[in-house]
Amino acid sequence: MSLFKTRKSDAAVTPLDGIDVVLADLDGVVYTGANAIDYAVDSLNKAAAEGVRVGYITNNASRTDVQVAEHLSSFGLKVVPHDVVTSPQAAVKLLAGLVEPGSLILVVGGVGLTSEVEKAGFTVTRQAADEPAAVIQGFAPDVAWKDLAQASFALHRGIPWVATNTDWTIPVEGGIAPGNGTLVSAVHTAVGTLPVVGGKPEKAIFEAAVARFGAEVPLFIGDRLDTDIIGANRAGIRSAHVLTGIDGAKQLLAADTDSRPTFILDDLRGLFEPYPPTELSHDNTVATVGKSVVRLRGTSVEVVKSGDSQVDVIRAGSALIWASGQPIYGLNVAPELYS
């Protein structure tokens, strides 16, 4: 359930008020491709300078925490490997609860995964004929059919199967490409079972981050509703959805109960700005955020006043639609809300 508040009595506080740890997703939040996102680096460094611990969560299983830290440091962020929580780390923790210490594990993936498997004291194989105790699977650009076939052969013995994540897509320099979820699906088709999953949107990676940083009141920042925000909600963590990545206004307006964020931000400067309360009329037909007013009349969602902030229009429209209880496909939504 969303932690988003929608009553006039809410005081205008910043998203960072009361927060002791910020947990940030990477692609779409900190950078896009080779470029840092505007205001992201300065904002995260400012949070750290003001005494908020900053950590990073990534579903990317192809890189080690050392490689991720070096990449983030190249943008000017102050990051060490311990600040980075990866889906392979979360997956290996799950693996450790399923097999004996030191077991032989069939790994489908690259160095980001094999390094964590080995650090945990397991032995790596790539061959089903070695009779591994379990299969662990993560994305790497060079994963091939033969790797998926070996996993399938091994899993037909009924051994445990752990996946780092099940993201259907992955953003790369050339565009959007198939992610680990598509590769997991291929193996699932062959074996008829499903893996346990370490990464977002499952709770394991969030719980690992909370434990590592000793967080009492964390805030997670993401750009995807289906992995970032739903995962934070499952873990009981406040979330900020930033409009610099995959999901924009259209997806927010249509968000179901499980994938609604606590905060909606234009960019990471919003972490430090007073977050305007949402005022809902008694009958939930008018929502006001700042100077923006959105109204529900019958099945039509209309912008009454745009105000001076497009993000306030999105906040008001989202709150109104969410409070209405009506599915988005049954509403006629004004284009000004999402275009």
Side-chain angles (χ1 to χ4, degrees):
M1 183 175 180
S2 171
L3 301 171
F4 189 88
K5 295 180 174 64
T6 57
R7 293 299 165 197
K8 187 172 183 176
S9 60
D10 295 343
V13 298
T14 76
L16 284 185
D17 283 352
I19 298 299
D20 60 351
V21 177
V22 165
L23 302 171
D25 180 46
L26 300 184
D27 205 309
V29 174
V30 179
Y31 57 76
T32 298
N35 302 310
I37 290 172
D38 289 346
Y39 314 113
V41 171
D42 287 345
S43 296
L44 293 169
N45 280 338
K46 180 180 178 182
E50 294 184 359
V52 179
R53 181 73 185 272
V54 179
Y56 300 89
I57 293 182
T58 177
N59 266 6
N60 189 325
S62 64
R63 298 191 295 171
T64 67
D65 52 2
V66 173
Q67 291 171 323
V68 173
E70 289 174 348
H71 184 204
L72 293 174
S73 296
S74 73
F75 295 126
L77 289 162
K78 299 174 177 64
V79 186
V80 297
H82 188 72
D83 297 330
V84 180
V85 182
T86 69
S87 62
Q89 292 170 351
V92 168
K93 282 192 174 183
L94 293 175
L95 178 68
L98 298 172
V99 298
E100 295 297 321
S103 293
L104 181 67
I105 307 299
L106 192 151
V107 177
V108 177
V111 64
L113 182 53
T114 56
S115 63
E116 294 296 336
V117 172
E118 291 171 339
K119 278 195 289 187
F122 298 112
T123 302
V124 171
T125 183
R126 303 286 186 172
Q127 301 298 320
D130 293 335
E131 298 191 352
V135 172
I136 191 166
Q137 181 175 353
F139 176 82
D142 57 353
V143 169
W145 176 89
K146 62 181 179 60
D147 303 305
L148 304 183
Q150 289 299 319
S152 175
F153 301 155
L155 289 169
H156 275 294
R157 294 176 38 238
I159 60 176
W161 180 20
V162 180
T164 59
N165 66 292
T166 52
D167 293 3
W168 289 109
T169 60
I170 183 171
V172 295
E173 187 173 347
I176 302 298
N180 197 51
T182 60
L183 304 178
V184 167
S185 180
V187 177
H188 162 67
T189 301
V191 300
T193 59
L194 289 170
V196 294
V197 181
K200 301 173 293 180
E202 304 306 323
K203 294 193 297 183
I205 193 168
F206 294 95
E207 292 171 345
V210 167
R212 179 178 301 182
F213 302 121
E216 295 183 1
V217 189
L219 173 71
F220 178 73
I221 308 169
D223 70 301
R224 293 181 66 145
L225 300 177
D226 62 346
T227 55
D228 296 334
I229 304 307
I230 194 172
N233 285 339
R234 286 176 176 176
I237 294 174
R238 299 182 194 180
S239 60
H241 181 87
V242 64
L243 294 166
T244 53
I246 295 293
D247 287 335
K250 186 175 291 187
Q251 289 77 27
L252 280 164
L253 296 170
D256 61 25
T257 304
D258 294 330
S259 54
R260 295 169 184 170
T262 317
F263 304 104
I264 300 170
L265 307 179
D266 232 351
D267 57 60
L268 292 192
R269 291 177 297 179
L271 292 172
F272 307 92
E273 298 169 356
Y275 195 85
T278 299
E279 301 174 15
L280 277 172
S281 62
H282 181 70
D283 58 359
N284 289 345
T285 61
V286 179
T288 303
V289 177
K291 297 179 181 179
S292 301
V293 181
V294 180
R295 175 176 59 198
L296 176 63
R297 185 158 57 180
T299 59
S300 295
V301 181
E302 306 167 342
V303 178
V304 179
K305 293 181 181 178
S306 296
D308 51 14
S309 170
Q310 178 60 27
V311 72
D312 281 350
V313 175
I314 296 168
R315 291 164 176 162
S318 297
L320 185 69
I321 292 171
W322 298 347
S324 76
Q326 298 188 50
I328 191 71
Y329 55 78
L331 297 172
N332 180 23
V333 180
E336 304 98 287
L337 274 163
Y338 57 83
S339 60

